[in-house]
Amino acid sequence: MTSENHGTLKGDAALVMSPSGSSSQGQPHLPSTSKPIQELPDELIQAGWSKCWSKRENRPYYFNRFTNQSLWEMPVLGQHDVIVSCLRGLHCAPLHRIFTFISCRLCQVDTPVTPTTPTIPISPSTPGTKPWSSSTEDKHAPPPLVYWDLDVQTNAVIRERAPADYLPPHPEIELQRAQLTTKLRQHYHELCNQREGIEPPRESFNRWLLERKVVDKGCDPLLPSDCDPVISPSMFREVMNDIPIRLSRIKYKEEARKLLFKYAEAAKKMIDSRNATPESRKVVKWNVEDTMNWLRKDHSASKEDYMDRLEHLRKQCGPHVAAVAKDSIEGICTKIYHISAEYVRRIRQAHLNLLKDCNITDGAEAPEVQDRLVYCYPIRLALPSPPQPRVELHFENEIACLRYKGEMVKVNRNYFSKLELLYRYSCIDDPRFEKFLSRVWCLIKRYQVMFGSGVNEGTGLQGALPVPVFEALHKQFGVSFECFASPLNCYFKQFCSAFPDTDGFFGSRGPFLSFSPVSGSFEANPPFCEELMDAMVTHFEELLERSSEPLSFIIFVPEWRDPPTPALIRMESSPFRRHQLTVSAFEHEYRSGSQHICKREDMYYKAVHSTAVIFLQNAAGFAKWEPTPERVQELLGAYRISGRSLASPGPSSTGTGGAGGDRDSRMRQDQGGGSPMEKSGLDTLSV
């Protein structure tokens, strides 16, 4: 959706550098909420602009009948002069500015234009023109609401850093990475089926990627290749939890009875077919026979009786079953890791060959970096970007479709506009937007591959806090930065994310575990991966320990108590913990992880578990952003504003689909079959 940001042309340039050695800064810039009503000049009227009134928002907006563009702010003409020709002039303008330019030029040359005339060039690198708007669109509807505020300026201060040595993204390499990652998923599926006779635990491959990147020292931004230990604790734990069979939540007595029978049968079969010790065979055989006799005799048992019996059987047989399955599961983890390392080698070699063909060599001398404090700025790449191939763009109603070599990625028109704004604020090497479409394609493809291809798979990795909560965090605690986000789900234009090579052009400051702020106020909503959350807490405490400037982190994590996660225990006992509160399950909502592509009615869903909100602050941060009772109440009040009551997202889901279902699938109790690593309703991964 078009936003008030269209009328606000502030870039990051004004806030990149602070005076050397200084970390002081004024209050974050708050977006204007009221605009004086102005009459339209004749030039705007001739260009097709008219002023309309939004009944929903109770304020005026501006609509262009030639281009179907809607803006909250009054459009401005003449901001981009013509360079030699109309075509070259278009190269200079960001996409959302091209509308006004085209309509003005067409009016000047007396070309007849109608609302259905395809007058909008899609990209300088895409030959031909395609219509920006669908003919079925309601041309007089006001622009939809946004889920971000890109006008908020940063208060995060860092030490100036050298450009990163990641290889610049390219659609050809990203396509190869996508194909190999999909193939790696297939290998994982086949190994689980062939060796253990089970389906891979839901989302376990995605959580494996998260956990591996915490310790990976390899060169690929997505796939691990240099990890110690080789065997992933995450993958091993999740596969072992599904041995000998996957246990699911039970609603009815008959389901509980069948589950108990299947578990007993599978445990006996595994012990008989594996190289078990005589003692293990004896214990498992006796307990299975005892269970079978009980099932034959007792027909009046309740669901709870069956589940208690299953719990007893698991405690008796579980250690023996795990002992015989250990080598096989370790073999699965090792095999997947070594295949991943081989794929990384192939991708790296292909990438270097592509750069070499473009006369770009790795090994250029790094520029000198001054030891001074600066306001945080998007991560920069040391190597220049190679020429980009053509990426086609067309729109299907409200969906932007980008295609490269037959591979299509999709994003809502609203979020496509957001990416254009982030690119204009953050990118410094492409003023003509000639590489914009190819970089958007690489960005969306990367997250699409990370999510997986299953229905609703991976959406829990990208969920986000509701907009009112972000507004309260900014207003009450000066928060202007997200520690775990992405260009697709960020609320602020300054954030950390998982993939610096693709995301840096759209505002990412790089992976959070590699980001070392000196001062500022931050929001952290990590993926629900125990290893990542534990590393996050270590990083927080190190930053708070060594900084005397105001530094504050407000962390949102699931309140898992059975058993509690190590990260939650550490934060609750941290000397930097200033306050903690709990938002009860089913009493708050999150935005979907697929918000950039989902329908409006699927934007929000209920949280199926409680959320712990913990304030970690050093002394200066506590003095500046103290969580007083009044401020905390404002934050809790923001949670009570349901997404279903907001004008933009429409009704929310009930937590049964997408990320909500992922959260519910985390079965920390012994009778559950899932892993503790589900992330849902939270900001995206960053490692």
Side-chain angles (χ1 to χ4, degrees):
M1 120 185 178
T2 50
S3 118
E4 292 185 47
N5 299 314
H6 279 290
T8 309
L9 305 182
K10 300 180 293 298
D12 266 344
L15 44 98
V16 168
M17 295 293 184
S18 68
S20 178
S22 170
S23 61
S24 60
Q25 178 178 337
Q27 293 295 321
H29 174 74
L30 291 175
S32 175
T33 57
S34 61
K35 305 286 182 184
I37 297 179
Q38 307 174 44
E39 295 299 326
L40 282 178
D42 291 340
E43 296 81 16
L44 290 178
I45 295 175
Q46 293 173 5
W49 291 99
S50 59
K51 184 163 68 173
C52 308
W53 185 260
S54 170
K55 294 182 180 179
R56 185 178 68 185
E57 296 299 310
N58 196 31
R59 58 170 169 162
Y61 68 96
Y62 300 90
F63 174 76
N64 192 301
R65 66 180 185 275
F66 295 150
T67 66
N68 305 318
Q69 185 185 15
S70 298
L71 296 174
W72 289 120
E73 306 246 359
M74 178 181 289
V76 180
L77 296 180
Q79 296 225 352
H80 296 279
D81 295 329
V82 182
I83 302 179
V84 180
S85 68
C86 296
L87 181 59
R88 292 183 60 189
L90 292 177
H91 286 249
C92 303
L95 295 180
H96 76 281
R97 296 294 181 78
I98 296 176
F99 298 113
T100 304
F101 173 79
I102 288 289
S103 59
C104 293
R105 298 297 298 170
L106 289 171
C107 290
Q108 291 174 10
V109 298
D110 298 325
T111 303
V113 180
T114 65
T116 58
T117 303
T119 60
I120 306 305
I122 299 304
S123 165
S125 59
T126 303
T129 60
K130 296 182 181 180
W132 178 268
S133 301
S134 170
S135 60
T136 60
E137 184 181 355
D138 182 1
K139 298 177 174 50
H140 291 85
L145 297 179
V146 292
Y147 301 96
W148 51 82
D149 188 348
L150 306 185
D151 285 336
V152 174
Q153 308 291 13
T154 186
N155 58 17
V157 175
I158 62 174
R159 292 204 172 273
E160 190 173 357
R161 52 184 178 173
D165 59 356
Y166 301 100
L167 301 184
H170 190 279
E172 189 65 33
I173 302 303
E174 203 58 45
L175 183 58
Q176 181 182 5
R177 179 180 288 111
Q179 293 168 345
L180 292 177
T181 304
T182 301
K183 193 173 180 180
L184 187 62
R185 287 180 184 272
Q186 294 171 350
H187 281 302
Y188 179 48
H189 187 276
E190 292 169 0
L191 287 171
C192 288
N193 269 286
Q194 293 169 1
R195 298 195 179 190
E196 300 300 333
I198 63 171
E199 295 294 311
R202 176 179 168 81
E203 303 272 8
S204 59
F205 186 88
N206 297 337
R207 289 185 292 273
W208 175 75
L209 291 174
L210 285 178
E211 180 270 328
R212 292 284 81 185
K213 296 309 288 186
V214 174
V215 298
D216 184 41
K217 299 178 181 178
C219 56
D220 193 83
L222 179 63
L223 296 175
S225 61
D226 185 8
C227 299
D228 185 21
V230 169
I231 296 173
S232 162
S234 164
M235 182 176 286
F236 181 88
R237 182 169 58 243
E238 293 197 55
V239 176
M240 183 64 80
N241 280 345
D242 281 5
I243 300 297
I245 64 170
R246 174 177 299 176
L247 302 182
S248 57
R249 290 190 183 275
I250 298 301
K251 293 184 179 180
Y252 306 107
K253 183 179 76 171
E254 278 306 310
E255 291 178 339
R257 188 177 188 278
K258 290 179 181 178
L259 188 64
L260 176 59
F261 177 81
K262 289 174 63 178
Y263 184 91
E265 195 175 51
K268 184 177 183 302
K269 182 179 178 181
M270 174 169 281
I271 288 294
D272 289 342
S273 63
R274 304 288 178 96
N275 187 24
T277 65
E279 179 66 21
S280 293
R281 292 181 189 277
K282 179 181 177 180
V283 171
V284 172
K285 182 179 180 180
W286 186 90
N287 279 279
V288 168
E289 288 179 353
D290 183 59
T291 299
M292 292 299 186
N293 290 332
W294 181 81
L295 284 170
R296 283 191 290 266
K297 292 178 181 178
D298 196 341
H299 299 287
S300 60
S302 65
K303 169 193 166 185
E304 288 71 25
D305 292 333
Y306 288 121
M307 297 307 295
D308 289 343
R309 191 78 186 193
L310 175 60
E311 175 67 15
H312 173 76
L313 185 62
R314 289 196 69 192
K315 286 183 177 179
Q316 296 299 315
C317 299
H320 303 283
V321 170
V324 298
K326 179 175 180 291
D327 290 344
S328 175
I329 297 175
E330 287 182 347
I332 293 175
C333 298
T334 303
K335 182 73 171 178
I336 291 300
Y337 171 77
H338 286 309
I339 295 175
S340 174
E342 171 60 21
Y343 286 171
V344 169
R345 187 194 64 79
R346 292 189 202 174
I347 295 169
R348 176 80 175 183
Q349 189 59 49
H351 208 158
L352 291 175
N353 290 340
L354 185 147
L355 295 177
K356 184 178 179 181
D357 292 342
C358 299
N359 295 320
I360 299 174
T361 57
D362 189 5
E365 185 177 348
E368 183 180 352
V369 176
Q370 300 184 41
D371 183 18
R372 59 178 178 176
L373 296 177
V374 299
Y375 292 134
C376 72
Y377 54 92
I379 194 167
R380 310 299 186 197
L381 301 184
L383 292 178
S385 179
Q388 299 292 304
R390 188 182 76 175
V391 172
E392 299 175 356
L393 170 67
H394 72 276
F395 290 90
E396 298 175 359
N397 296 323
E398 289 301 310
I399 303 296
C401 305
L402 296 92
R403 185 189 301 273
Y404 173 72
K405 286 191 173 180
E407 290 286 326
M408 182 182 293
V409 298
K410 297 182 178 182
V411 63
N412 286 340
R413 181 193 299 265
N414 185 17
Y415 284 79
F416 183 77
S417 299
K418 176 192 181 183
L419 292 175
E420 189 273 330
L421 282 172
L422 288 171
Y423 193 79
R424 176 164 58 89
Y425 285 142
S426 307
C427 181
I428 61 174
D429 70 341
D430 186 26
R432 296 176 179 268
F433 275 59
E434 293 169 336
K435 301 173 182 176
F436 173 70
L437 287 184
S438 63
R439 287 172 173 173
V440 170
W441 188 91
C442 291
L443 167 76
I444 300 175
K445 191 66 176 178
R446 176 75 59 82
Y447 283 98
Q448 183 186 82
V449 169
M450 183 190 70
F451 287 172
S453 57
V455 177
N456 293 323
E457 185 179 1
T459 56
L461 299 174
Q462 276 280 96
L465 297 175
V467 170
V469 175
F470 271 118
E471 292 173 341
L473 288 172
H474 174 59
K475 181 179 179 181
Q476 301 299 327
F477 302 102
V479 172
S480 66
F481 193 106
E482 297 164 76
C483 297
F484 299 90
S486 78
L488 296 171
N489 81 334
C490 65
Y491 178 80
F492 305 112
K493 66 175 178 285
Q494 43 271 344
F495 57 90
C496 282
S497 69
F499 307 124
D501 58 329
T502 55
D503 299 359
F505 301 110
F506 301 90
S508 173
R509 272 58 173 168
F512 176 69
L513 297 183
S514 303
F515 182 73
S516 300
V518 175
S519 69
S521 184
F522 301 83
E523 174 265 355
N525 234 336
F528 289 3
C529 165
E530 291 190 5
E531 288 80 5
L532 174 57
M533 291 194 292
D534 200 43
M536 172 197 72
V537 176
T538 300
H539 192 50
F540 283 155
E541 293 188 331
E542 289 175 352
L543 295 174
L544 292 165
E545 181 70 37
R546 65 174 180 246
S547 177
S548 59
E549 297 294 326
L551 192 57
S552 171
F553 297 98
I554 305 177
I555 304 104
F556 298 76
V557 293
E559 193 172 40
W560 290 333
R561 297 290 182 184
D562 189 17
T565 58
L568 184 58
I569 294 174
R570 290 180 58 194
M571 286 190 288
E572 289 180 332
S573 60
S574 172
F576 299 103
R577 185 180 75 93
R578 306 296 180 175
H579 188 73
Q580 180 174 345
L581 58 99
T582 299
V583 188
S584 300
F586 298 103
E587 294 183 7
H588 62 295
E589 295 178 327
Y590 286 99
R591 279 182 290 135
S592 170
S594 58
Q595 59 183 274
H596 60 284
I597 196 63
C598 72
K599 298 178 181 179
R600 289 172 59 176
E601 56 267 24
D602 299 327
M603 180 64 75
Y604 282 84
Y605 57 83
K606 289 286 186 182
V608 297
H609 59 72
S610 298
T611 296
V613 184
I614 301 174
F615 293 74
L616 298 183
Q617 300 170 323
N618 61 9
F622 179 69
K624 188 170 185 178
W625 299 297
E626 178 184 355
T628 62
E630 295 77 16
R631 287 174 171 175
V632 170
Q633 283 304 312
E634 288 290 333
L635 178 60
L636 288 174
Y639 260 120
R640 288 192 288 268
I641 302 175
S642 170
R644 283 173 286 208
S645 66
L646 300 177
S648 58
S652 72
S653 65
T654 60
T656 58
D662 291 345
R663 260 203 315 270
D664 196 34
S665 69
R666 179 193 187 271
M667 315 270 273
R668 295 288 293 173
Q669 300 82 359
D670 286 340
Q671 67 263 30
S675 155
M677 320 264 277
E678 295 286 0
K679 169 178 171 43
S680 51
L682 298 181
D683 296 327
T684 194
L685 74 156
S686 175
V687 292

